[in-house]
Amino acid sequence: MEPSECYAADATRLLERLAPVGSTVDLVTDTAQPSRDRYDRLLRYVDHDAVDVARELLASGAARRYEADQALAREESYAGAVDDAQGAERGLWGSC
């Protein structure tokens, strides 16, 4: 068994709090992006109880931002969340 990446267990616990197993989430389409990626994976934002799950993970330093070829609808919000987390050395930015 391979060891997990730095901060992976903490990120998993946060994700489980943001969108508990068995809860209902909203999958939101970014109309400026293709519906699927080159591997045929569905591309969607995940919201739970009106909270953008990815933004919360980024803001807490539990995730890294994906650099898309095209601007994302939530790009500004995501970039700001990452900048704040890095500046405050939250999550993986202070641990890894």
Side-chain angles (χ1 to χ4, degrees), residues 2-69:
E2 290 184 35
S4 61
E5 290 186 36
C6 180
Y7 209 73
D10 295 298
T12 298
R13 282 190 292 277
L14 177 57
L15 179 57
E16 289 171 343
R17 282 196 310 271
L18 291 168
V21 173
S23 65
T24 300
V25 298
D26 295 313
L27 301 179
V28 181
T29 301
D30 185 334
T31 58
Q33 298 294 318
S35 182
R36 294 185 177 270
D37 70 6
R38 65 181 177 192
Y39 303 106
D40 202 36
R41 295 176 295 198
L42 193 61
L43 299 174
R44 298 291 185 269
Y45 297 112
V46 177
D47 293 346
H48 180 262
D49 288 341
V51 172
D52 181 340
V53 174
R55 189 194 179 291
E56 292 302 311
L57 291 170
L58 292 166
S60 68
R64 297 179 193 276
R65 190 167 58 97
Y66 173 75
E67 299 289 336
D69 291 336

Side-chain angles (χ1 to χ4, degrees), residues 65-84:
R65 190 167 58 97
Y66 173 75
E67 299 289 336
D69 291 336
Q70 299 174 330
L72 302 172
R74 299 182 182 186
E75 182 70 25
E76 189 173 317
S77 174
Y78 287 3
V82 170
D83 290 346
D84 289 347

